[in-house]
Amino acid sequence: MANSKPRILNNNRDMVWSLIPLVIACLLIAGVASQCSLSPGGPKQGPIPNFDVNTALQYDAPEIGFPVRNPSVPEGWTPNSGSRATISGDNGGAVSTVGYITGTGAYLQLTQSSATEEQLVPFVAGSETAYASGAQNVSGRDWVVYGEEGSRNYWVSDFGDVRILLGGTASTEDFTTLASILEVTEPLAP
């Protein structure tokens, strides 16, 4: 006899009043667990994860089977991620990736691989439908550009024993900066 009204007489107002204690309980639990915060000015950028790019690439150099470069990026760029993978099948190969947050707060990744461009781009882009949309020449080296303005872009160039792919949401200026640094960066000793 918890409810004195017949069920047919319950309405939306009764439902709202029964949900209020549940919502308050959820907010209290989230507050105690420190899993929510109030930010009246909108979201704020959190701390950038720390990644030791020097150690990661130094480790990859003798293990991966192709020349690995560790560019000296501009001050203000922060390495924040890295991974190693393998593209299986014909024309595939090992893949070494490190990511940076540029001085403007955009993401730019450096991927080095022995795989062909035709295998590397879809693997990194996560799409079989990545099409070349242009070209850039930086310091005398040609880069094939994939992607459209305002979306994630990929630049790929053949350095002989290795294909280098730059990808992310960074500006063309940041892509050009990293491409020109890579041009003068010697491979690490295996």
Side-chain angles (χ1 to χ4, degrees), residues 7-190:
R7 197 173 159 104
I8 191 124
L9 296 178
N10 285 338
N11 58 24
N12 290 340
R13 186 171 28 119
D14 294 322
M15 186 183 321
V16 168
W17 281 109
S18 64
L19 287 176
I20 288 175
L22 180 62
V23 169
I24 291 171
C26 289
L27 290 173
L28 284 173
I29 292 170
V32 168
S34 299
Q35 295 299 313
C36 67
S37 63
L38 181 60
S39 182
K44 309 257 186 296
Q45 174 155 341
I48 297 172
N50 187 19
F51 180 74
D52 187 353
V53 68
N54 297 324
T55 301
L57 292 177
Q58 194 64 50
Y59 178 79
D60 283 352
E63 300 285 326
I64 211 153
F66 57 80
V68 175
R69 288 168 172 78
N70 184 6
S72 296
V73 296
E75 192 171 322
W77 288 31
T78 306
N80 76 329
S81 59
S83 66
R84 192 161 83 175
T86 301
I87 300 173
S88 59
D90 293 339
N91 301 317
V95 179
S96 174
T97 300
V98 292
Y100 301 93
I101 302 298
T102 67
T104 60
Y107 178 73
L108 184 57
Q109 78 182 51
L110 164 62
T111 299
Q112 304 175 71
S113 179
S114 57
T116 62
E117 180 179 329
E118 295 75 24
Q119 295 294 324
L120 181 60
V121 174
F123 178 80
V124 173
S127 168
E128 294 292 328
T129 59
Y131 298 106
S133 59
Q136 289 283 339
N137 186 291
V138 178
S139 302
R141 180 174 300 278
D142 291 326
W143 293 80
V144 179
V145 177
Y146 292 79
E148 301 298 325
E149 191 66 36
S151 69
R152 178 165 235 157
N153 289 310
Y154 303 96
W155 290 18
V156 183
S157 188
D158 191 331
F159 278 63
D161 293 341
V162 62
R163 257 62 53 221
I164 294 184
L165 179 145
L166 309 178
T169 57
S171 67
T172 300
E173 181 181 320
D174 288 336
F175 273 81
T176 303
T177 297
L178 186 53
S180 63
I181 292 169
L182 286 163
E183 191 60 39
V184 296
T185 301
E186 291 295 321
L188 297 170

